[in-house]
Amino acid sequence: MEVVIDSREHHRIKTAKQYYQEHDCKVQIKELPIGDYLFDDQVVFEYKTQTDFINSVRDNRVFRQTIRQQENYPYHFIIISGTDKDLTHLLYSKYNGRYGHFTIKQYTGAIARLNTYTTVIQVPTEKQAYRMMITQAQKCLTNNIGTVQTSKKQVIHEPIAYKILAYCIPDISNTRAKKITETLKLETMNDLTTLTLTDLTSVPGIGEKTAEKILQNI
């Protein structure tokens, strides 16, 4: 099996390369446009520590990253390293309050939202992350994931406009996103960027305040 490690992984490059070489993988280090670890050009992982994950939820970056993974690879995952104790310490630290308080409800809510269209894996340590990634990749590449594979393929056919509205814009439910895309016949990101306030308020149930919020986020 071949694994490509993103060259921006910095301090993890050395340990990850050593781990995968010890497990008979061919390793390449280069900048990946999508994801951090790519196995046999089919299974992609976005690696995040708990701090990275919280920051990426704050600015919605993680939702954009996972949609890009889903659009480009048949198997896609987010892997988060850190223990429950680490998370508790992080949520009650001065660092958390400095950027606006982030709660456990927001943390678990973000994971639940991501799990509607990708898969989030949580592990205690960096080494266990490496182990889980190679194990998961092997399962995917030998087609031993049963109904999970089917569900991923079904989701891939959703228009990108729907995915952006449903997964990247705060407080827009999947039902509301579907109503907007179907009413206005939206498919692409370009369709979203040409929306006007009049377009959005013509959708039943979308008021001016909600429409302004959607346009601002787009």
Side-chain angles (χ1 to χ4, degrees), residues 151-192:
S151 66
K152 292 294 185 297
K153 287 184 177 179
Q154 289 171 344
V155 176
I156 285 173
H157 297 299
E158 293 171 345
I160 188 66
Y162 167 81
K163 293 173 184 175
I164 295 292
L165 290 170
Y167 306 132
C168 298
I169 297 182
D171 305 321
I172 299 299
S173 66
N174 293 5
T175 301
R176 182 170 280 186
K178 185 175 182 181
K179 183 180 284 188
I180 293 169
T181 52
E182 289 182 350
T183 302
L184 300 177
K185 298 181 173 23
L186 306 175
E187 292 283 338
T188 67
M189 185 65 197
N190 187 58
D191 292 339
L192 291 179

Side-chain angles (χ1 to χ4, degrees), residues 52-157:
D52 294 335
F53 181 72
I54 288 172
N55 288 337
S56 67
V57 172
R58 288 182 192 275
D59 61 13
N60 279 341
R61 177 167 32 93
V62 68
F63 301 104
R64 297 191 295 272
Q65 289 171 328
T66 49
I67 286 173
R68 290 183 68 206
Q69 287 189 161
Q70 184 196 58
E71 290 295 312
N72 287 275
Y73 296 104
Y75 308 104
H76 41 87
F77 302 87
I78 302 276
I79 191 156
I80 306 171
S81 66
T83 65
D84 289 344
K85 185 177 179 180
D86 294 334
L87 180 59
T88 300
H89 177 75
L90 180 61
L91 293 177
Y92 288 94
S93 67
K94 290 181 180 179
Y95 160 82
N96 187 20
R98 189 189 316 164
Y99 299 100
H101 191 63
F102 196 89
T103 66
I104 187 65
K105 185 177 180 180
Q106 288 174 295
Y107 189 90
T108 56
I111 290 174
R113 192 171 195 181
L114 286 163
N115 275 330
T116 64
Y117 64 99
T118 191
T119 302
V120 179
I121 301 171
Q122 298 184 76
V123 293
T125 68
E126 188 175 279
K127 186 172 182 179
Q128 285 173 306
Y130 301 150
R131 182 184 302 124
M132 177 57 76
M133 283 191 282
I134 194 172
T135 301
Q136 187 67 67
Q138 288 168 340
K139 292 291 183 182
C140 292
L141 295 169
T142 54
N143 291 318
N144 286 334
I145 58 172
T147 57
V148 176
Q149 182 182 3
T150 302
S151 66
K152 292 294 185 297
K153 287 184 177 179
Q154 289 171 344
V155 176
I156 285 173
H157 297 299

